[in-house]
Amino acid sequence: MKPDSTGLIDFIDGVKIWETVNSTTRTDAAQVHDILDKAVQAKGLSLEETARLLQVEDPELNEAIFETARKVKQGIYGNRLVLFAPLYVTNECGNRCAYCGFKDTNKELLRRTLSADEIRQEVTVLENQGHKRLLLVYGEHPRFGAEWIAETVRNVYDTVSEKSGEIRRVNINCAPLDVEGFRKLHEVGIGTYQCFQETYHRETYAELHPTGYKKDYLWRLHAMHRAMEAGIDDVGMGTLLGLYDYRFDTIALLSHAAELEAKYGVGPHTLSFPRLEPALNSDIAFNPPYPISDAQFKRLVAVLRLAVPYTGLILSTRENREMRRELLDLGISQLSAGSRTYPGAYSDPDYDRPDVQQFCIGDNRSLEEVIGEIVEHGYVPSWCTACYRAGRTGEHFMELAKKGFIQRFCHPNALLTFKEYLLDYAQAETQEQGNSLISHELEGLAEKRRTAVADRLNRIEHGERDLYL
């Protein structure tokens, strides 16, 4: 269905955002510490406070920001880290985004749309690696509507392989739909609907999206409204850093989140902030007009954790191994692993192919290699989907999260899903590391909870699967 943005309001006030940014370029140490004293209470920050922290350059004050972010991250999420993989279903696209390898004018890109059998083949490969959570990614071509997307979701859920091979949560990244289209996706049991505005700066957006349905800024801006009206509780938003000034887009992103919370009682379930990476036949992708440095990027992640403490922060494999490791402590709660960015990639032995992928990735490690490193640093990999299947989503989830629910339930459930992985998919060295970590984590649980988790771990060792609290 062709976008119709008639009557839609632009609730992103660009003039006001720039006023906020420009009025907070200078913040003294006392102001920073006052903001951090508030932030450590995990009650969030105002847009002005966020803008101030984003622009702190003093090394000592930056370290104070990082330390506060570590405390907030640990207090809410502990050492639990959710893992997932993207699965590209099609790279056919009707848009002409200047920064994307999938743009319709890229004649060198090999176009492919997976058949039902090919989807099942890709899912089986991912399941045999141990994945339980997938993000399905679709090029934005008008011929792929909600019915077809819904059918691809059914194919994923219906694919069950050996051992404990099943996908328990399917998230979606696709073109914005109308309410009826989103309702069809909700009916087949999708988890989070994810869509990035890319940049909230209207003039830049228009320049970068000259043709295609994506050209309609307001239709895309209101995608989350329509998804939530259709019953999808969890939505994921983001910006593509490098297209415009990161300070503007970050404050705009948080303004968007505030708009959803005011209207629906809950903001986004997750936020993403990928940096622009090289893509086939895209000069902008190789030379970002507004590059963001590593130091700025690290501060951005820490500040987002303080601004929206209970919102999931996602980090993709665009970043290299070193940066991904460093950002875990500063606020990241979800991490993609073993990612490949084109249709059919997981069944392709020669996966490093710029002629087919959407963009270049910075971390090529396998799922097991990523798990080995994060376990070494004391993190518990999680594939838990209990809340979603029990209906604890949206506003209900946020209410529970603010009462310590994540630590009391999500952390023990992470141990159970990790135990499944160790038994069914892990190599001997990872098994040894993982079992040692689980034993250590059990000791830190209250006696009643420790008994309940130990009982389920024992049942998993004896063949039961998909147990949770």
Side-chain angles (χ1 to χ4, degrees):
M1 177 178 291
K2 188 175 181 179
D4 180 8
S5 56
T6 304
L8 298 182
I9 298 172
D10 185 0
F11 51 81
I12 301 297
D13 189 337
V15 172
K16 186 175 181 181
I17 289 172
W18 268 125
E19 288 177 351
T20 300
V21 171
N22 290 331
S23 67
T24 55
T25 55
R26 295 184 179 181
T27 302
D28 61 35
Q31 288 175 302
V32 171
H33 286 296
D34 284 345
I35 295 172
L36 296 181
D37 286 343
K38 173 185 176 182
V40 78
Q41 300 175 43
K43 295 181 180 179
L45 299 176
S46 69
L47 296 181
E48 179 185 336
E49 291 166 336
T50 301
R52 288 190 182 280
L53 295 188
L54 281 176
Q55 301 180 86
V56 172
E57 298 291 346
D58 181 89
E60 290 187 8
L61 294 179
N62 270 316
E63 185 51 46
I65 292 172
F66 296 154
E67 183 57 31
T68 307
R70 293 184 189 105
K71 290 179 181 178
V72 171
K73 163 77 187 298
Q74 178 64 28
I76 296 174
Y77 297 92
N79 59 346
R80 161 185 169 271
L81 185 65
V82 173
L83 297 176
F84 72 96
L87 171 56
Y88 281 68
V89 181
T90 178
N91 62 5
E92 296 185 61
C93 194
N95 297 320
R96 198 165 298 171
C97 308
Y99 47 83
C100 183
F102 289 177
K103 60 186 175 182
D104 66 351
T105 54
N106 191 357
K107 303 305 181 184
E108 294 183 48
L109 183 76
L110 178 63
R111 303 288 176 175
R112 184 178 180 185
T113 296
L114 300 182
S115 66
D117 285 343
E118 289 170 331
I119 290 173
R120 286 189 282 269
Q121 182 178 7
E122 288 285 278
V123 172
T124 298
V125 172
L126 287 163
E127 288 177 346
N128 288 336
Q129 293 174 6
H131 280 291
K132 295 287 184 287
R133 301 164 66 111
L134 297 185
L135 171 67
L136 302 191
V137 184
Y138 306 81
E140 298 190 6
H141 199 287
R143 74 186 183 90
F144 298 124
E147 289 282 4
W148 177 77
I149 294 174
E151 184 59 29
T152 65
V153 174
R154 294 189 191 96
N155 289 331
V156 172
Y157 278 135
D158 289 345
T159 302
V160 179
S161 56
E162 295 181 5
K163 299 181 179 178
S164 59
E166 61 177 340
I167 301 303
R168 297 171 185 168
R169 180 170 171 91
V170 176
N171 299 329
I172 294 291
N173 183 313
C174 70
L177 304 170
D178 58 18
V179 174
E180 184 56 34
F182 280 125
R183 191 169 287 121
K184 291 175 182 177
L185 298 188
H186 179 54
E187 289 170 355
V188 296
I190 74 162
T192 300
Y193 170 67
Q194 183 189 80
C195 182
F196 300 167
Q197 193 67 21
E198 316 295 12
T199 177
Y200 288 88
H201 188 251
R202 290 291 295 266
E203 291 77 9
T204 301
Y205 186 96
E207 179 182 349
L208 297 176
H209 307 96
T211 63
Y213 288 170
K214 195 170 178 177
K215 180 179 180 179
D216 194 326
Y217 174 94
L218 289 179
W219 177 257
R220 195 172 191 86
L221 185 65
H222 283 258
M224 300 307 171
H225 292 67
R226 298 190 299 277
M228 297 178 89
E229 288 171 15
I232 298 174
D233 290 334
D234 293 340
V235 297
M237 309 191 310
T239 57
L240 182 53
L241 299 174
L243 300 180
Y244 192 60
D245 191 298
Y246 77 96
R247 299 169 301 170
F248 178 94
D249 274 333
T250 301
I251 300 303
L253 178 64
L254 294 175
S255 298
H256 193 171
E259 157 75 12
L260 294 180
E261 185 160 8
K263 191 172 182 64
Y264 299 103
V266 62
H269 186 65
T270 58
L271 293 180
S272 299
F273 26 84
R275 288 196 283 185
L276 197 56
E277 291 295 326
L280 182 66
N281 289 331
S282 171
D283 291 337
I284 287 179
F286 282 91
N287 301 284
Y290 292 86
I292 175 172
S293 69
D294 286 353
Q296 291 168 331
F297 188 58
K298 286 169 54 180
R299 186 167 61 243
L300 168 64
V301 172
V303 172
L304 281 176
R305 175 49 63 217
L306 301 178
V308 283
Y310 295 95
T311 300
L313 299 184
I314 297 178
L315 189 65
S316 77
T317 51
R318 289 175 182 255
E319 299 299 329
N320 62 35
R321 172 179 181 171
E322 292 74 21
M323 179 60 72
R324 279 158 59 88
R325 170 65 193 91
E326 197 166 355
L327 292 177
L328 296 184
D329 293 336
L330 297 183
I332 298 301
S333 57
Q334 296 191 26
L335 193 72
S336 59
S339 303
R340 300 185 181 182
T341 64
Y342 61 93
Y346 297 104
S347 303
D348 185 353
D350 183 22
Y351 65 87
D352 188 14
R353 298 175 53 194
D355 60 323
V356 292
Q357 63 189 11
Q358 187 180 23
F359 53 83
C360 296
I361 62 177
D363 187 351
N364 287 296
R365 291 176 299 163
S366 68
L367 173 63
E368 177 133 10
E369 289 174 311
V370 172
I371 288 172
E373 181 179 75
I374 64 177
V375 169
E376 182 180 341
H377 289 283
Y379 284 94
V380 178
S382 176
W383 294 267
C384 178
T385 58
C387 286
Y388 313 116
R389 290 182 289 159
R392 300 189 292 258
T393 58
E395 187 176 6
H396 186 201
F397 175 82
M398 285 298 178
E399 290 175 352
L400 293 170
K402 292 175 182 178
K403 297 176 182 178
F405 177 88
I406 293 176
Q407 293 281 40
R408 293 201 303 271
F409 286 88
C410 300
H411 178 262
N413 286 337
L415 298 176
L416 300 178
T417 61
F418 187 32
K419 186 65 174 181
E420 282 190 29
Y421 173 83
L422 294 174
L423 289 169
D424 294 344
Y425 304 105
Q427 306 269 339
E429 182 178 355
T430 307
Q431 288 179 0
E432 183 177 353
Q433 285 181 306
N435 285 321
S436 176
L437 177 61
I438 290 175
S439 296
H440 176 268
E441 294 297 313
L442 272 177
E443 293 176 2
L445 297 178
E447 183 178 357
K448 184 176 181 180
R449 186 52 49 96
R450 182 169 62 249
T451 300
V453 174
D455 172 70
R456 286 164 175 78
L457 288 170
N458 182 61
R459 289 162 58 187
I460 289 172
E461 288 184 347
H462 286 82
E464 291 189 61
R465 293 295 180 267
D466 198 16
L467 302 178
Y468 52 84
L469 299 176

